[in-house]
Amino acid sequence: MTDADAVPELSRWQRTMVSDGTLAVECLERGDGPGVILLPEIPGIVPSTIELGDLLVDHGFTVVMPSLFGVPGRRPSVLGQVAAVAKLCVMAEFRAFSLDLRGQVTDFLRLVAGDLAARAPGRGVGIIGMCFTGGFAIATAVTTDEIQAAVVSQPAAPFPVSRSRARSVGVPAEALERYAASRADSAPCVLGLRFTQDARSGDARMVALERHLGRAVTVVRLPSGADSTDGTPKGAHSVLTGGVREDPPNRAFLEREQMFEFLRERLAPAGVSDAPA
């Protein structure tokens, strides 16, 4: 049985190998409407990532999921997470993020954004990064004119081995401030999300985004653990996937709905901002 057979949801996604001459990555694509790049969490495009992609499609977006690590559709496991981290640790992009520099994955994502913007309707492209890839999302956004909306959810890289790393999202403060200045007259174009008790994604990164992006960013801190009134546990980490409870809906579910609206408002063609029927 192949991985695609094991996860029927993947049969609805077109799978294409994309290369920029340096990096070759399989990308999964589905949907119509404005384009959104959905970056997976470690260990890769697991079923919960596919479910989020399907929801974005249902909300009227064309979604591209680059398989940066792992096997698309494979269910998460400790061994898979270890393998994904091991791969990342030897990648030039990982070293670049440790030094607040651009790297090969960010360059690749700029190519994907440009191609998607040329094909999809709307006022540009959105990008969502989660956990390790949260930094990829903002790093791509600040260097790519095509990206008009970025979601940075529970960013967890660079690894917080020092105070400066704990505050970093992998992008120099000067680049964030230039980006914010270029959008001073626009509505917020970056959305930051984290659970308040999430030890893997400290609040220092959100504070840094607020400091350097100013009005260009909206940060939402979702109560968890002792802060929560809806039962969200202290260990909650994945705001848009594992932390969501639909019945009864918790705060993460409501904020995910707001994220769909944020993307729609920023990306929909002029005069078209209503939710799909």
Side-chain angles (χ1 to χ4, degrees):
M1 180 179 292
T2 66
D3 290 302
D5 292 332
V7 183
E9 296 91 341
L10 279 181
S11 64
R12 295 180 290 180
W13 290 79
Q14 178 183 348
R15 304 174 69 161
T16 306
M17 189 63 68
V18 179
S19 175
D20 65 354
T22 300
L23 195 64
V25 175
E26 183 179 37
C27 292
L28 284 65
E29 181 172 338
R30 179 171 176 251
D32 296 297
V36 174
I37 301 169
L38 175 59
L39 306 179
E41 304 169 76
I42 292 173
I45 301 177
V46 297
S48 60
T49 309
I50 299 168
E51 292 172 7
L52 177 57
D54 285 335
L55 282 172
L56 285 160
V57 171
D58 292 344
H59 277 77
F61 299 101
T62 299
V63 180
V64 173
M65 297 189 294
S67 182
L68 299 173
F69 35 79
V71 178
R74 180 172 291 173
R75 300 191 181 281
S77 66
V78 173
L79 187 61
Q81 291 178 341
V82 170
V85 170
K87 178 181 178 181
L88 289 167
C89 286
V90 300
M91 290 176 65
E93 185 75 357
F94 182 89
R95 296 193 298 274
F97 262 62
S98 296
L99 299 171
D100 284 344
L101 300 172
R102 287 171 49 193
Q104 62 186 27
V105 174
T106 307
D107 291 339
F108 173 81
L109 293 174
R110 294 175 66 214
L111 171 72
V112 174
D115 173 73
L116 185 56
R119 296 186 287 107
R123 293 173 288 172
V125 172
I127 188 167
I128 301 170
M130 304 179 289
C131 190
F132 183 84
T133 61
F136 291 170
I138 190 65
T140 307
V142 302
T143 58
T144 309
D145 291 339
E146 287 85 358
I147 292 184
Q148 297 298 311
V151 178
V152 183
S153 190
Q154 77 271 0
F159 294 154
V161 294
S162 67
R163 288 186 179 181
S164 62
R165 293 291 178 265
R167 295 191 298 268
S168 174
V169 290
V171 181
E174 297 81 4
L176 294 173
E177 290 167 3
R178 286 195 300 270
Y179 175 76
S182 69
R183 289 157 175 76
D185 297 328
S186 303
C189 49
V190 178
L191 174 64
L193 301 166
R194 74 173 289 268
F195 287 113
T196 57
Q197 298 295 315
D198 184 4
R200 287 176 283 176
S201 178
D203 195 54
R205 289 195 172 103
M206 293 303 174
V207 172
L209 285 177
E210 291 173 318
R211 178 183 301 119
H212 299 302
L213 290 178
R215 294 174 58 188
V217 65
T218 297
V219 170
V220 179
R221 297 170 173 89
L222 291 76
S224 61
D227 301 332
S228 174
T229 59
D230 62 11
T232 299
K234 180 179 180 179
H237 174 64
S238 301
V239 175
L240 301 174
T241 55
V244 173
R245 187 186 68 222
E246 297 188 15
D247 187 21
N250 64 354
R251 176 72 181 276
F253 174 85
L254 299 176
E255 293 301 338
R256 188 175 67 180
E257 294 296 305
Q258 288 298 310
M259 181 199 70
F260 296 142
E261 185 60 26
F262 164 76
L263 292 171
R264 185 177 298 112
E265 290 176 352
R266 295 296 298 166
L267 303 178
V272 181
S273 60
D274 295 334

